[in-house]
Amino acid sequence: MMRESVEDRVLESLRPTQFQLAMLTRLYGLIQTRLSTCPAVAGVGGRVEAVGSFAKGTLLSDKWEIDVFLLLEGVDDAWIEERARSLLYTCLHGLPVISKYSQHPYVTLAMMGMEADIVPAKLVSDPSQARGVERTPFHTRWVKERINPRLADEVRLLKSFLKGIGVYGAETARGGFSGYLAEVLTIGYNGFRGVLEEASRWRPPVIIDPHGAGDPEALARRYRDSPLVIPDPVDPGRNVGAAVTMRSLATFILAARTYLEAPGEWYFHTHQPTLPPVSRAPAVGVCLEGPMYTKPPQDVEGRLARLSSFLATKLGEAGFRVLHHGFSWDGGSRAVAYVLVESLTLPEIEALRGPEAWASVERVSRFIEKRLREGGSVWPQHGLLHGFRPRRIRSALEALGRALGMAPLPWGARVSRAFTCPGPGCEGWCGREVERGSDPTPAWIRLAYTRGRPPS
Amino acid sequence: MMRESVEDRVLESLRPTQFQLAMLTRLYGLIQTRLSTCPAVAGVGGRVEAVGSFAKGTLLSDKWEIDVFLLLEGVDDAWIEERARSLLYTCLHGLPVISKYSQHPYVTLAMMGMEADIVPAKLVSDPSQARGVERTPFHTRWVKERINPRLADEVRLLKSFLKGIGVYGAETARGGFSGYLAEVLTIGYNGFRGVLEEASRWRPPVIIDPHGAGDPEALARRYRDSPLVIPDPVDPGRNVGAAVTMRSLATFILAARTYLEAPGEWYFHTHQPTLPPVSRAPAVGVCLEGPMYTKPPQDVEGRLARLSSFLATKLGEAGFRVLHHGFSWDGGSRAVAYVLVESLTLPEIEALRGPEAWASVERVSRFIEKRLREGGSVWPQHGLLHGFRPRRIRSALEALGRALGMAPLPWGARVSRAFTCPGPGCEGWCGREVERGSDPTPAWIRLAYTRGRPPS
C-alpha cells in the first residue's frame, strides 16, 4: 500500500544505526563510570541514570546526543544551585565540558561529534514532589516500561512529523510538542497513524486522557489558557500539553488531516526541502550582533521570539497590518528578527471612529476637539462621529526604529541595523533570512497541495 | 441675555417682510380666482386651498414660494393621473406654467421671482383615508389651528437651525426633518428651545408622542428601522419622522447639545459661512453632464445620492477604507459624485483571514488552494489560517471605473470623466466641488469648537 510505503521509506532514514548506538552507549558508559566512581559523588550519595530518547530507545538517526542525570540524595535546591556544578567539574576533570544554565545548572560534554547533557538533580521518590527537571527521570521510566521496538519506530515517525511541520519542542520560542508528549500520545493511541487519526478530529480546546491518568476536565479548569490539556501519567495534576500553543496545535491538526488524505515524505523532517519563496510580503527587520552563542540556545531563541512578537505588536499599534513575524539565528553571533506587513507605508491620513453622537458631552467634545486640534476633520455619520487626522508615522521603518528603544534584545546582542525588504538595506545574511521568511507558507503546505511537486 | 440675543438677531433675518407677504398673497389670489372660476373645475367640483408654510404663517424670508392645492370631488386616482394636468393648463392658460411630476403630477407657476406649486388632489374627508400628497391639507389645517405669531417665529428658528446643520428636508437625498415635523415638534415642546432641550436628551431609537396622538410603541414596532418615531397627529398610524435617517438624527442631537452649551449664529442657515477646507481626504470623483434640470430636483438629487452611495459601497468592497461620500449639482447640467477614502492606492498584497484550521477539510482546502493558485501565501497562526495574495486592483480610480458600468446615473446624464483629488483631473467645476467636499467637517462644528472664530 502506498501509505505504508511512505512511512516505511521514511523510517529507514529515521532509525539510528548500530554504529551510532554503540558510540553513544560508549559515551554513556564513560560518563556513568566517571560519576559513579567519583569520591565527591559518593560523599553526598548519588546515582547516575540515562534519560531522554537515548534511554527510551526512541532516538532519531540525526541525534548524536544523550542525556544523563546525576540524582543526588540528601541535598536541597540551594546545594544544587551553588555546588552541583563544581561537583561535576571535579568528577569529569580532563573531559571537554562546558557549563550551561537554563533555569537549572548543567554541563555539556562534547566529543567526537557527540554531545551529552549532564544534569544534576535532587533524588525524588514521589513524582508529585518533583519539580522542573526532577520529573524527567519519572518520564523516562514511564516510557521505558511501555515501549517496544514497534512503538519506538512509531514515536520516531511522530517526532519527525512534528519536526517537519515545525511544531516539535516545548521551548518558548517554539511552543510545540515535547518528545515525552509525542511518546505519551503514540503509546496512548497505539502508533503514529492512531495519533494522526485522533488529531484529525480534534477541535480546541482539546481535553484528552488516553491513559486514564487523571481528571482532565478539572485539569482544564486549572490550565484555562491551554488549547491542549492532557494529564501527565506520572503526575496527573500536571498538563503534559502546557507548552503547546494554539498555532502549534492548529498546525498539527491541519497537517494530520492533509497527511491522512494524501501522505507524503515532505511532512517528515528528514525529507523537508527548502523551497524558494514564491510570493513575498513586505518586511521590516532588525539585524543583531553579539556573542549570543555563549547562552543556551533555548534562551536566545526565546528572547528572539519575544523580540519579533514585541515589534509586531508595536507595528500593529502604529496602524500597520501585521501578517506574520519571525526570527532567525545562525547559532553564532548573528540574528535577525522581522515583521511581515501588508504595506511598508501608511496613508497620509488616518481614519478614526468616535463615540456615538449622543454619548456624554465630554466624550463627544474630546473627540471633536482632538481632531480639530490635530488639523483633521470630524462629522456625524449614521449614529457615530467619524473623523480623520494627518498621520504622524507613515513608514514601517520609522515605527520599528521607535519601538527598538524598549525592545527586549537577547543578552549581549546589539542592533547593527534596521532595514526593509524590499529596500536598500535588504542585503547580506540578515537580508537573505528575511527574504526567506517573507513567504510564510510552510513547505509541507505547498507540497501537500501540489501533490509533492515543488511549485514552478 | 446673550442666548436670547442670538436668536433675536437671527429672527430679524428670518421673518418675511410685509412686502414679501403682500406679493405672495397677490399671487395666491390670482391662482385662487383663476381656478375657482374655471368652468372645467366647476364641471368636476373642486375647491382651492393654500397649504405649506405660506398658509401656516411659518414662511422664511428667503422663500418666495407658495403651495396651492386644488382639491377635486368625485374623481379617482386614475383621473388625477391622466386628466388633472390638462385641467390645470386649461384653467391657468396664459400664465407661465411648467409641468412637473414627482410621484404625482403637478405644475409650477413662476413669475416675478415667485414660484407657486399647484397640486391637484382628491378631496378626502377623513385623514386616515388620505395617501401621499392628500395628507398635506390636513397637516396645514392642524398647524393653523395651533399656531400663533410667537410659535411661528419659533418654527422659523427651528427650520433655519435644521437647514444650517444640513438636516432639513424629507427627500431621500437628505433624509432630514420635514417642515411639518419641525412644526409638530415646536408646537409640542412649546418653542425652539423646548425642542432642543428635548433633543439633547434623545438616544436613538427616539420614540415620542408630544401631542398624545397615538400609541408610539406600537408605531415603533411597525417602523422598526426608523431611528425617530413620532405619530402623525392627523393620522396616528403614520410616522412623521419616517424620513429621518440616523445620520440626520445624530447630527440634530449633537447640534442641539452644542448649541445649548454655547449658542451661535452660525447654526442658522442665513448665517452659514462657507469655510475653506482645513484638512483634506483623498477623493475619487465622477463628473456628469446632461439635461438634469428637466427633472424635479428631488429626483435628481435622490439619484445622485444613490450614485455616491453605490460608488462608496463598491470601493469598500474593493478594499478601500471609505470615509465619506457625497455629491454636488449646480441645478443645471453639471453634477459630480465623489467618495473620500483613506488612501487612493492599496498595498501590493492583500491580507486574508481563512477558516479555523479544524474547519471542514473542504473549507480549509479551498482557502489553501485559492491562495496558492493566486501566487499567494498561506499559514496557520493561532487557530486560524491566514494568507495573502497579490492584489489585482490597487488604484481607487480603476476600482471606480469598474463600478461605473453598473452605476445608477441621473436620467439623461452621462459620465464626462472620472478623476482623483489630488490628481491631474482635479480641476474645473467638478474638481472644485470635490475639493470643497474633501473636508467633511460641517462649518457649524468647526465654529462651535472655535467659539465662532473661523479657524486660521
Side-chain angles (χ1 to χ4, degrees), chain B residues 94-120:
Chain B
L95 294 174
V97 164
I98 57 171
S99 174
K100 294 200 176 162
Y101 191 95
S102 174
Q103 296 172 322
H104 195 96
Y106 70 101
V107 301
T108 297
L109 192 162
M111 50 192 284
M112 299 171 69
M114 297 183 289
E115 259 190 30
D117 280 350
I118 305 163
V119 183

mmCIF file of all heavy atoms in Angstrom, chain B residues 94-120:
data_model
loop_
_atom_site.group_PDB
_atom_site.id
_atom_site.type_symbol
_atom_site.label_atom_id
_atom_site.label_comp_id
_atom_site.label_asym_id
_atom_site.label_seq_id
_atom_site.Cartn_x
_atom_site.Cartn_y
_atom_site.Cartn_z
ATOM 1 N N GLY B 94 -52.299 81.057 -20.363
ATOM 2 C CA GLY B 94 -51.771 82.420 -20.460
ATOM 3 C C GLY B 94 -50.770 82.749 -19.371
ATOM 4 O O GLY B 94 -50.003 83.693 -19.490
ATOM 5 N N LEU B 95 -50.724 81.935 -18.291
ATOM 6 C CA LEU B 95 -49.740 82.163 -17.225
ATOM 7 C C LEU B 95 -48.517 81.272 -17.481
ATOM 8 O O LEU B 95 -48.635 80.216 -18.105
ATOM 9 C CB LEU B 95 -50.358 81.836 -15.852
ATOM 10 C CG LEU B 95 -51.515 82.758 -15.411
ATOM 11 C CD1 LEU B 95 -52.131 82.247 -14.104
ATOM 12 C CD2 LEU B 95 -51.014 84.192 -15.221
ATOM 13 N N PRO B 96 -47.293 81.678 -16.974
ATOM 14 C CA PRO B 96 -46.075 80.900 -17.253
ATOM 15 C C PRO B 96 -45.995 79.642 -16.374
ATOM 16 O O PRO B 96 -45.437 79.660 -15.273
ATOM 17 C CB PRO B 96 -44.950 81.884 -16.917
ATOM 18 C CG PRO B 96 -45.548 82.835 -15.926
ATOM 19 C CD PRO B 96 -47.036 82.891 -16.169
ATOM 20 N N VAL B 97 -46.556 78.551 -16.907
ATOM 21 C CA VAL B 97 -46.675 77.307 -16.142
ATOM 22 C C VAL B 97 -45.745 76.252 -16.729
ATOM 23 O O VAL B 97 -45.636 76.144 -17.948
ATOM 24 C CB VAL B 97 -48.147 76.812 -16.205
ATOM 25 C CG1 VAL B 97 -48.256 75.359 -15.783
ATOM 26 C CG2 VAL B 97 -49.044 77.696 -15.360
ATOM 27 N N ILE B 98 -45.034 75.505 -15.860
ATOM 28 C CA ILE B 98 -44.336 74.325 -16.379
ATOM 29 C C ILE B 98 -44.813 73.092 -15.627
ATOM 30 O O ILE B 98 -45.201 73.136 -14.453
ATOM 31 C CB ILE B 98 -42.791 74.439 -16.339
ATOM 32 C CG1 ILE B 98 -42.299 74.704 -14.922
ATOM 33 C CG2 ILE B 98 -42.284 75.511 -17.288
ATOM 34 C CD1 ILE B 98 -40.794 74.611 -14.795
ATOM 35 N N SER B 99 -44.791 71.997 -16.382
ATOM 36 C CA SER B 99 -45.359 70.750 -15.874
ATOM 37 C C SER B 99 -44.290 69.977 -15.110
ATOM 38 O O SER B 99 -43.132 69.922 -15.521
ATOM 39 C CB SER B 99 -45.833 69.941 -17.072
ATOM 40 O OG SER B 99 -46.266 68.682 -16.648
ATOM 41 N N LYS B 100 -44.660 69.372 -13.982
ATOM 42 C CA LYS B 100 -43.694 68.572 -13.217
ATOM 43 C C LYS B 100 -44.332 67.282 -12.771
ATOM 44 O O LYS B 100 -45.550 67.108 -12.843
ATOM 45 C CB LYS B 100 -43.194 69.379 -12.014
ATOM 46 C CG LYS B 100 -42.374 70.595 -12.443
ATOM 47 C CD LYS B 100 -41.513 71.096 -11.343
ATOM 48 C CE LYS B 100 -40.643 72.256 -11.845
ATOM 49 N NZ LYS B 100 -40.131 73.032 -10.702
ATOM 50 N N TYR B 101 -43.500 66.372 -12.276
ATOM 51 C CA TYR B 101 -44.025 65.108 -11.795
ATOM 52 C C TYR B 101 -43.076 64.575 -10.730
ATOM 53 O O TYR B 101 -41.874 64.473 -10.945
ATOM 54 C CB TYR B 101 -44.140 64.089 -12.930
ATOM 55 C CG TYR B 101 -44.923 62.861 -12.517
ATOM 56 C CD1 TYR B 101 -46.295 62.758 -12.770
ATOM 57 C CD2 TYR B 101 -44.302 61.814 -11.831
ATOM 58 C CE1 TYR B 101 -47.013 61.650 -12.383
ATOM 59 C CE2 TYR B 101 -45.022 60.706 -11.433
ATOM 60 C CZ TYR B 101 -46.377 60.628 -11.711
ATOM 61 O OH TYR B 101 -47.102 59.529 -11.299
ATOM 62 N N SER B 102 -43.598 64.281 -9.586
ATOM 63 C CA SER B 102 -42.806 63.611 -8.575
ATOM 64 C C SER B 102 -43.758 62.749 -7.767
ATOM 65 O O SER B 102 -44.388 63.220 -6.827
ATOM 66 C CB SER B 102 -42.104 64.634 -7.681
ATOM 67 O OG SER B 102 -41.452 63.973 -6.637
ATOM 68 N N GLN B 103 -43.917 61.537 -8.179
ATOM 69 C CA GLN B 103 -44.881 60.579 -7.624
ATOM 70 C C GLN B 103 -46.331 60.985 -7.887
ATOM 71 O O GLN B 103 -47.259 60.270 -7.590
ATOM 72 C CB GLN B 103 -44.662 60.403 -6.104
ATOM 73 C CG GLN B 103 -43.291 59.792 -5.800
ATOM 74 C CD GLN B 103 -42.982 59.785 -4.320
ATOM 75 O OE1 GLN B 103 -43.315 60.719 -3.600
ATOM 76 N NE2 GLN B 103 -42.350 58.722 -3.852
ATOM 77 N N HIS B 104 -46.511 62.189 -8.452
ATOM 78 C CA HIS B 104 -47.835 62.800 -8.565
ATOM 79 C C HIS B 104 -47.678 63.961 -9.557
ATOM 80 O O HIS B 104 -46.664 64.659 -9.498
ATOM 81 C CB HIS B 104 -48.218 63.338 -7.171
ATOM 82 C CG HIS B 104 -49.663 63.681 -7.034
ATOM 83 N ND1 HIS B 104 -50.581 62.799 -6.499
ATOM 84 C CD2 HIS B 104 -50.355 64.801 -7.337
ATOM 85 C CE1 HIS B 104 -51.772 63.378 -6.467
ATOM 86 N NE2 HIS B 104 -51.665 64.590 -6.983
ATOM 87 N N PRO B 105 -48.632 64.145 -10.476
ATOM 88 C CA PRO B 105 -48.462 65.272 -11.406
ATOM 89 C C PRO B 105 -48.755 66.608 -10.718
ATOM 90 O O PRO B 105 -49.627 66.680 -9.840
ATOM 91 C CB PRO B 105 -49.523 64.996 -12.485
ATOM 92 C CG PRO B 105 -50.551 64.169 -11.801
ATOM 93 C CD PRO B 105 -49.877 63.409 -10.697
ATOM 94 N N TYR B 106 -48.016 67.654 -11.058
ATOM 95 C CA TYR B 106 -48.293 68.998 -10.552
ATOM 96 C C TYR B 106 -47.680 70.003 -11.509
ATOM 97 O O TYR B 106 -46.968 69.617 -12.448
ATOM 98 C CB TYR B 106 -47.802 69.179 -9.118
ATOM 99 C CG TYR B 106 -46.294 69.206 -8.931
ATOM 100 C CD1 TYR B 106 -45.623 70.430 -8.774
ATOM 101 C CD2 TYR B 106 -45.565 68.031 -8.906
ATOM 102 C CE1 TYR B 106 -44.256 70.458 -8.594
ATOM 103 C CE2 TYR B 106 -44.197 68.061 -8.725
ATOM 104 C CZ TYR B 106 -43.553 69.271 -8.573
ATOM 105 O OH TYR B 106 -42.192 69.295 -8.411
ATOM 106 N N VAL B 107 -48.021 71.297 -11.315
ATOM 107 C CA VAL B 107 -47.407 72.311 -12.179
ATOM 108 C C VAL B 107 -46.772 73.398 -11.315
ATOM 109 O O VAL B 107 -47.133 73.570 -10.150
ATOM 110 C CB VAL B 107 -48.424 72.971 -13.145
ATOM 111 C CG1 VAL B 107 -49.087 71.924 -14.041
ATOM 112 C CG2 VAL B 107 -49.461 73.768 -12.388
ATOM 113 N N THR B 108 -45.787 74.067 -11.890
ATOM 114 C CA THR B 108 -45.154 75.190 -11.211
ATOM 115 C C THR B 108 -45.408 76.449 -12.032
ATOM 116 O O THR B 108 -45.211 76.451 -13.249
ATOM 117 C CB THR B 108 -43.650 74.955 -11.059
ATOM 118 O OG1 THR B 108 -43.455 73.818 -10.234
ATOM 119 C CG2 THR B 108 -42.977 76.156 -10.401
ATOM 120 N N LEU B 109 -45.858 77.452 -11.346
ATOM 121 C CA LEU B 109 -46.091 78.744 -11.990
ATOM 122 C C LEU B 109 -45.008 79.670 -11.455
ATOM 123 O O LEU B 109 -44.886 79.857 -10.233
ATOM 124 C CB LEU B 109 -47.480 79.232 -11.595
ATOM 125 C CG LEU B 109 -48.094 80.413 -12.319
ATOM 126 C CD1 LEU B 109 -49.597 80.408 -12.065
ATOM 127 C CD2 LEU B 109 -47.481 81.724 -11.869
ATOM 128 N N ALA B 110 -44.201 80.232 -12.337
ATOM 129 C CA ALA B 110 -43.086 81.067 -11.892
ATOM 130 C C ALA B 110 -43.230 82.455 -12.493
ATOM 131 O O ALA B 110 -43.309 82.608 -13.710
ATOM 132 C CB ALA B 110 -41.762 80.438 -12.311
ATOM 133 N N MET B 111 -43.344 83.470 -11.641
ATOM 134 C CA MET B 111 -43.379 84.835 -12.179
ATOM 135 C C MET B 111 -42.863 85.837 -11.169
ATOM 136 O O MET B 111 -43.060 85.693 -9.971
ATOM 137 C CB MET B 111 -44.787 85.221 -12.662
ATOM 138 C CG MET B 111 -45.914 84.992 -11.717
ATOM 139 S SD MET B 111 -47.527 85.169 -12.526
ATOM 140 C CE MET B 111 -47.666 86.934 -12.672
ATOM 141 N N MET B 112 -42.176 86.847 -11.651
ATOM 142 C CA MET B 112 -41.647 87.922 -10.820
ATOM 143 C C MET B 112 -40.847 87.393 -9.628
ATOM 144 O O MET B 112 -40.956 87.897 -8.515
ATOM 145 C CB MET B 112 -42.784 88.814 -10.325
ATOM 146 C CG MET B 112 -43.535 89.462 -11.489
ATOM 147 S SD MET B 112 -45.030 90.306 -10.937
ATOM 148 C CE MET B 112 -44.332 91.669 -10.038
ATOM 149 N N GLY B 113 -40.042 86.362 -9.858
ATOM 150 C CA GLY B 113 -39.201 85.818 -8.783
ATOM 151 C C GLY B 113 -39.952 84.973 -7.775
ATOM 152 O O GLY B 113 -39.368 84.514 -6.794
ATOM 153 N N MET B 114 -41.232 84.809 -8.025
ATOM 154 C CA MET B 114 -42.005 83.966 -7.111
ATOM 155 C C MET B 114 -42.336 82.652 -7.798
ATOM 156 O O MET B 114 -42.371 82.571 -9.025
ATOM 157 C CB MET B 114 -43.299 84.681 -6.717
ATOM 158 C CG MET B 114 -43.060 85.965 -5.949
ATOM 159 S SD MET B 114 -44.609 86.740 -5.432
ATOM 160 C CE MET B 114 -45.254 87.341 -6.978
ATOM 161 N N GLU B 115 -42.577 81.629 -6.960
ATOM 162 C CA GLU B 115 -42.953 80.328 -7.511
ATOM 163 C C GLU B 115 -44.147 79.785 -6.764
ATOM 164 O O GLU B 115 -44.224 79.890 -5.532
ATOM 165 C CB GLU B 115 -41.811 79.321 -7.352
ATOM 166 C CG GLU B 115 -41.022 79.122 -8.625
ATOM 167 C CD GLU B 115 -40.057 77.963 -8.514
ATOM 168 O OE1 GLU B 115 -40.342 76.995 -7.775
ATOM 169 O OE2 GLU B 115 -38.996 78.037 -9.164
ATOM 170 N N ALA B 116 -45.097 79.207 -7.520
ATOM 171 C CA ALA B 116 -46.214 78.522 -6.879
ATOM 172 C C ALA B 116 -46.281 77.106 -7.408
ATOM 173 O O ALA B 116 -46.293 76.904 -8.627
ATOM 174 C CB ALA B 116 -47.518 79.259 -7.173
ATOM 175 N N ASP B 117 -46.253 76.126 -6.487
ATOM 176 C CA ASP B 117 -46.510 74.740 -6.892
ATOM 177 C C ASP B 117 -48.006 74.522 -6.771
ATOM 178 O O ASP B 117 -48.591 74.792 -5.704
ATOM 179 C CB ASP B 117 -45.777 73.757 -5.977
ATOM 180 C CG ASP B 117 -44.305 73.637 -6.354
ATOM 181 O OD1 ASP B 117 -43.914 74.151 -7.413
ATOM 182 O OD2 ASP B 117 -43.557 73.031 -5.553
ATOM 183 N N ILE B 118 -48.626 74.076 -7.849
ATOM 184 C CA ILE B 118 -50.069 73.869 -7.838
ATOM 185 C C ILE B 118 -50.330 72.381 -8.029
ATOM 186 O O ILE B 118 -49.956 71.786 -9.047
ATOM 187 C CB ILE B 118 -50.758 74.703 -8.927
ATOM 188 C CG1 ILE B 118 -50.358 76.184 -8.739
ATOM 189 C CG2 ILE B 118 -52.281 74.546 -8.847
ATOM 190 C CD1 ILE B 118 -50.613 77.034 -9.947
ATOM 191 N N VAL B 119 -50.912 71.783 -6.983
ATOM 192 C CA VAL B 119 -51.023 70.325 -6.916
ATOM 193 C C VAL B 119 -52.484 69.900 -6.945
ATOM 194 O O VAL B 119 -53.250 70.287 -6.060
ATOM 195 C CB VAL B 119 -50.360 69.797 -5.617
ATOM 196 C CG1 VAL B 119 -50.410 68.278 -5.563
ATOM 197 C CG2 VAL B 119 -48.938 70.315 -5.495
ATOM 198 N N PRO B 120 -52.874 69.132 -7.943
ATOM 199 C CA PRO B 120 -54.235 68.597 -7.960
ATOM 200 C C PRO B 120 -54.311 67.341 -7.095
ATOM 201 O O PRO B 120 -53.399 66.521 -7.111
ATOM 202 C CB PRO B 120 -54.448 68.244 -9.423
ATOM 203 C CG PRO B 120 -53.088 67.916 -9.940
ATOM 204 C CD PRO B 120 -52.092 68.677 -9.118
#
